[in-house]
Amino acid sequence: MGGKIAQMTEDLATPILTDMGLTLVDTEYLKEGKQWFLRVYIDSPEGVDLDTCTAVSERLSEALDKHDPIKEPYFLEVSSPGAERPLKSLDDFKANIGQNVRIGTYEKIDGEKTFEGLLEAVHDDYITVSVKNKTQERQIDIPVGKISKANLAVIF
């Protein structure tokens, strides 16, 4: 059910966000305790502030009320994805070439399932990440179909 509602929310949110010059990063519909939460993460090249989140929340809330895809009571939360935002599409990866990323894979590649490093390149079926291990640096090609989770990473 969560995936279907998240998709319907994305369909309603996309034209609103496009009109406002914003990008949809992710949508989640999940239950925490006894409460349902519909979370919409937005971004723009300049970042987003509280006023922007409030404006999106108001417009999206009106669209959700009009189309009424959710029957149970829920809380709508609109926010920025934060510094370690998820990377969901090839466009997300392309927009973040040169940034630090953390990638998890469904199966091992070179004996590992987690890679942290600099996103070097994005191709149709794989991405290239430059990974440092102590004093050694190597480039890993990760097939897109094997990526289970990806996000920007703050590396100290």
Side-chain angles (χ1 to χ4, degrees), residues 63-80:
L64 287 164
D65 288 347
K66 181 179 176 184
H67 291 82
D68 202 22
I70 306 171
K71 302 304 175 208
E72 58 272 350
Y74 65 94
F75 292 98
L76 173 63
E77 296 178 354
V78 177
S79 66
S80 163

Side-chain angles (χ1 to χ4, degrees), residues 9-44:
T9 302
E10 287 181 14
D11 294 343
L12 292 172
T14 299
I16 294 168
L17 297 172
T18 300
D19 182 53
M20 297 176 72
L22 302 166
T23 306
L24 178 66
V25 175
D26 199 10
T27 305
E28 300 175 326
Y29 183 66
L30 46 96
K31 192 171 188 177
E32 293 180 0
K34 295 180 181 182
Q35 303 292 327
W36 283 94
F37 291 88
L38 177 59
R39 294 191 175 109
V40 178
Y41 300 96
I42 61 173
D43 206 0
S44 79

Side-chain angles (χ1 to χ4, degrees), residues 16 20 49-61 78:
I16 294 168
M20 297 176 72
D49 59 15
L50 184 58
D51 291 339
T52 304
C53 291
T54 301
V56 170
S57 180
E58 289 170 358
R59 288 183 63 183
L60 182 56
S61 184
V78 177

